[in-house]
Amino acid sequence: MTTLFDILGPRMVGPSSSHTAGACRLGYVVQAILGGMPDRASVGLHGSFAMTGEGHGTRIAITGGLLGHRPDDERLRNAEAEAAEKGLEIEFQSVELGADAHPNSATFDVSRGEDRIAITGCSIGGGRIRVLEIDGFAVDLSGSLPAIVVVADDVPGTVARITGLIAERGLNVATVRVDRTGRGERALMTIETDEDVPDEVLAELAGQPWVHWIRNVHQLNA
């Protein structure tokens, strides 16, 4: 018997690259930025995600992504049962993000222990995604390149120190984006690289007195 979650391609479990694979990628990137599977998640579905997402398996796919599963992982089929078993409390609701928002958009309010983060992103087709906002900071992450996300004090030299340390390890920086709450306050940096940043580099950066938190988002091939 054919089901919604039969394999339709070599890198995807599910019927739709936008509503299933892209939804899973969003959930995966969200849990990576949080630092692991959340304890609780409130997910808002906008536009087409809200109207047709249930039939396309969007909720199951997002749940699987939040568990840390990739779009081609067979465990996506049983993501809801696995979430219940592992204690992931997740709720879905419809949200209206305005006419300018992509129709396949979602908001995430997730927590893990004392850590809590709010993220907005969208699935733009072909399994590709864009993360557009993290805790009110404007970002543009695709998940197609390895990336690190850093929240730090907005002091001179932070960007140079971070990118310099990465370059010292022979890694090529592809993109750098910085948004801040105000001069001298806090800044959020997203840095995409051609290869994953080693854990020892993250540990060294995390030890800097001006860094509040740092996360590694590993590459998700399309």
Side-chain angles (χ1 to χ4, degrees), residues 137 150-155 158-159 178-182 184-189 210 212-213:
F137 292 96
V150 188
V151 172
D153 293 329
D154 181 35
V155 296
T158 55
V159 175
V178 182
D179 193 21
R180 62 184 187 176
T181 54
E185 296 180 8
R186 286 195 179 185
L188 186 143
M189 289 167 267
W210 35 266
H212 293 275
W213 60 262

Side-chain angles (χ1 to χ4, degrees), residues 4-202:
L4 283 178
F5 274 75
D6 284 333
I7 300 176
L8 299 188
R11 303 193 62 79
M12 181 180 76
V13 175
S16 169
S17 61
S18 295
H19 290 74
T20 313
C24 179
R25 287 165 66 90
L26 279 173
Y28 180 91
V29 171
V30 167
Q31 63 84 31
I33 295 172
L34 178 64
M37 187 196 83
D39 303 319
R40 299 178 182 82
S42 177
V43 182
L45 302 178
H46 166 81
S48 181
F49 262 8
M51 291 185 290
T52 66
E54 186 169 356
H56 283 144
T58 300
R59 297 185 180 190
I60 298 174
I62 286 176
T63 301
L66 290 173
L67 290 168
H69 301 331
R70 296 170 182 254
D72 58 352
D73 195 316
E74 291 283 347
R75 289 174 293 178
L76 287 181
R77 304 173 189 274
N78 302 308
E80 291 177 321
E82 183 182 350
E85 180 182 335
K86 292 185 174 179
L88 166 55
E89 299 177 11
I90 184 168
E91 62 176 8
F92 291 90
Q93 58 189 342
S94 297
V95 295
E96 176 54 56
L97 300 180
D100 293 336
H102 192 284
N104 297 330
S105 293
T107 62
F108 298 82
D109 186 340
V110 292
S111 60
R112 176 181 169 89
E114 296 183 356
D115 294 329
R116 182 176 179 180
I117 201 163
I119 294 175
T120 300
C122 58
S123 173
I124 61 175
R128 296 171 297 156
I129 65 167
R130 291 179 65 201
V131 175
L132 303 172
E133 188 175 289
I134 301 173
D135 273 351
F137 292 96
V139 301
D140 191 359
L141 283 178
S142 68
S144 60
L145 286 172
I148 61 172
V149 181
V150 188
V151 172
D153 293 329
D154 181 35
V155 296
T158 55
V159 175
R161 175 58 179 152
I162 292 172
T163 57
L165 183 58
I166 292 172
E168 288 172 10
R169 300 303 178 96
L171 301 175
N172 189 51
V173 173
T175 70
V176 177
R177 177 162 179 158
V178 182
D179 193 21
R180 62 184 187 176
T181 54
R183 185 173 182 178
E185 296 180 8
R186 286 195 179 185
L188 186 143
M189 289 167 267
T190 57
I191 302 170
E192 293 180 312
T193 55
D194 289 341
E195 300 175 73
D196 280 322
V197 176
D199 289 340
E200 59 267 25
V201 176
L202 261 69

